């Protein structure tokens, strides 16, 4: 993660805000990581059939994930943790350790098996399943970090390719964001000029499984395979949580349905195919000017 603040009035105020901003990432990790058996979400995943009282943060993350699941007709599904673990996506990136939850999961489980009770702040899992909030919580952490920086005019937050920018960068009236060529990730495919938005990119080159699974880290819940028709997908949206999650949903829906989905949700997106042909939403080109 990188945070940049352009010419803050007080270096000390900036340092304190940056520290508070970073602390959201560890807080979210502690509550929402699938790669830590002691995290709140993994303790929840170990309790099937009875209501569990959860923190506000976890409740909000799951509520948001379930609404994206509904909006996308189940293309997005936060109950894929078992499938992802079985495919070898189970290494803690901080410790390098492989995490085996030992939890049994039902192949038929879907987001419909997660029941929310906002009054009691409880969540009930109706079938054995492992929640995976990987497509939601990085964006959520960026948005919470941005709240800590709101007294500054010009700043950027970059969490591994998911970005939020406010105001302008060091030498422009906006921020310039380079999108990688998905087949040559050390090269820039094109540059966007944006301000006060989040830009999140998902790529098929990003993460591969450790155990020979042919796909990458995005899985279609219906086929249990990785969607083959998209190499990378970028969403520009007002918040990182929205950009992050809608991007993953559109990735599963595929180029045509994915772009229609993004347009319906009122956000802009760019999809690059494995042969480097791009398709984009109607309003996307405004970010090139
Ligand atoms: P990145 O982590 O590179 O930003 P994404 O934002 O595209 O990537 O999120 C991918 C993550 O989303 C995966 O690592 C996994 O945790 C989760 N995921 C994979 N497939 C789905 C899906 N169909 N629905 C919801 N979440 C998914
Ligand atoms: Mg993402």
């Amino acid at each position: 993660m990188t945070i940049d603040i352009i010419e803050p009035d007080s270096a000390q105020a900036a340092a304190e805000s940056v520290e508070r901003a970073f602390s959201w990432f560890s807080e979210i990790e502690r509550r929402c990581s699938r790669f830590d058996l002691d995290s709140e979400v993994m303790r929840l995943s170990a309790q099937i059939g009875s209501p569990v009282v959860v923190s506000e943060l976890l409740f909000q993350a799951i509520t948001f994930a379930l609404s994206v699941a509904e909006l996308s007709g189940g293309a997005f599904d936060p109950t894929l943790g078992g499938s992802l673990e079985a495919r070898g996506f189970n290494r803690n990136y901080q410790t390098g350790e492989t995490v085996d939850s030992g939890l049994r999961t039902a192949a038929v489980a879907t987001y419909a098996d997660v029941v929310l009770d906002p009054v009691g702040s409880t969540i009930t899992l109706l079938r054995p399943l492992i929640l995976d909030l990987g497509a939601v919580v990085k964006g959520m952490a960026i948005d919470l970090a941005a709240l800590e920086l709101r007294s500054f005019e010009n700043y950027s937050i970059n969490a591994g390719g998911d970005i939020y920018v406010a105001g302008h960068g060091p030498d422009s009236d906006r921020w310039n964001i380079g999108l990688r060529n998905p087949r040559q990730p050390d090269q820039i495919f094109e540059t966007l000029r944006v301000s006060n938005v989040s830009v999140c990119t998902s790529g098929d080159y990003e993460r591969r499984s450790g155990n020979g699974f042919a796909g990458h880290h995005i899985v279609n819940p219906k086929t249990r395979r990785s969607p083959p028709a998209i190499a990378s997908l970028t969403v520009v949206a007002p918040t990182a949580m929205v950009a992050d999650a809608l991007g993953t949903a559109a990735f599963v829906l595929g180029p045509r349905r994915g772009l229609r989905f993004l347009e319906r949700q009122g956000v802009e997106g760019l999809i690059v195919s494995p042969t480097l042909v791009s398709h984009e939403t109607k309003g996307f080109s405004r970010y090139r000017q």
Side-chain angles (χ1 to χ4, degrees):
M1 276 131 35
T2 310
I3 292 179
D4 278 310
I5 304 180
I6 308 296
E7 294 178 9
D9 291 337
S10 148
Q12 196 192 336
E16 285 167 12
S17 301
V18 166
E19 193 167 314
R20 282 200 307 277
F22 277 137
S23 68
W24 279 112
F25 285 84
S26 30
E27 172 71 4
I28 288 201
E29 190 95 345
R30 217 157 53 76
R31 303 223 170 265
C32 304
S33 172
R34 182 166 64 76
F35 307 108
D36 170 4
L37 299 182
D38 282 332
S39 72
E40 190 180 11
V41 75
M42 286 308 279
R43 280 185 278 117
L44 170 63
S45 296
Q47 281 173 271
I48 307 302
S50 52
V52 177
V53 178
V54 299
S55 66
E56 174 75 13
L57 197 74
L58 184 58
F59 193 85
Q60 293 298 335
I62 294 175
T63 302
F64 180 73
L66 293 179
S67 35
V68 178
E70 241 152 60
L71 285 172
S72 66
F76 185 98
D77 193 319
T79 66
L80 281 177
S83 279
L84 289 164
E85 185 177 302
R87 282 162 177 71
F89 293 103
N90 54 356
R91 208 158 50 85
N92 184 313
Y93 75 95
Q94 283 175 320
T95 61
E97 276 168 4
T98 302
V99 181
D100 177 5
S101 72
L103 296 174
R104 187 176 65 84
T105 60
V108 292
T110 71
Y111 70 95
D113 297 307
V114 182
V115 179
L116 300 169
D117 172 15
V119 177
S121 265
T122 68
I123 291 180
T124 310
L125 305 180
L126 300 180
R127 286 202 167 100
L129 58 85
I130 300 175
L131 287 163
D132 179 296
L133 299 170
V136 173
V137 291
K138 208 202 296 179
M140 190 182 201
I142 292 173
D143 292 336
L144 289 165
L147 273 179
E148 300 292 350
L149 303 175
R150 65 186 179 279
S151 63
F152 304 98
E153 255 171 74
N154 307 306
Y155 62 87
S156 66
I157 304 170
N158 182 349
D162 287 358
I163 292 167
Y164 182 83
V165 291
H168 62 74
D171 38 38
S172 156
D173 62 341
R174 277 169 272 173
W175 286 87
N176 298 324
I177 297 182
L179 305 183
R180 288 181 179 177
N181 177 331
R183 289 297 168 263
Q184 277 170 311
D186 56 337
Q187 286 179 19
I188 300 291
F189 190 67
E190 70 167 296
T191 302
L192 306 184
R193 295 185 5 92
V194 294
S195 186
N196 304 322
V197 289
S198 171
V199 179
C200 290
T201 299
S202 300
D204 66 355
Y205 52 92
E206 273 292 331
R207 268 188 271 161
R208 297 268 165 184
S209 155
N211 73 355
F213 171 59
H216 55 85
H217 67 317
I218 299 178
V219 172
N220 182 332
K222 309 236 157 75
T223 62
R224 306 271 155 161
R225 290 165 196 263
S226 292
I230 295 180
S232 88
L233 185 154
T234 298
V235 175
V236 184
T239 70
M241 191 156 151
V242 166
D244 196 7
L246 295 187
T248 305
F251 205 114
V252 175
L253 288 168
R256 281 187 49 239
R257 289 167 65 216
L259 284 180
R260 274 207 310 256
F261 170 75
L262 295 176
E263 283 176 348
R264 265 202 316 278
Q265 304 309 319
V267 302
E268 304 296 345
L270 170 76
I271 291 178
V272 182
S273 80
T275 54
L276 301 184
V277 178
S278 18
H279 303 276
E280 63 194 51
T281 54
K282 291 193 188 79
F284 189 84
S285 59
R286 90 174 85 128
Y287 298 120
R288 294 202 181 87
Q289 283 143 26

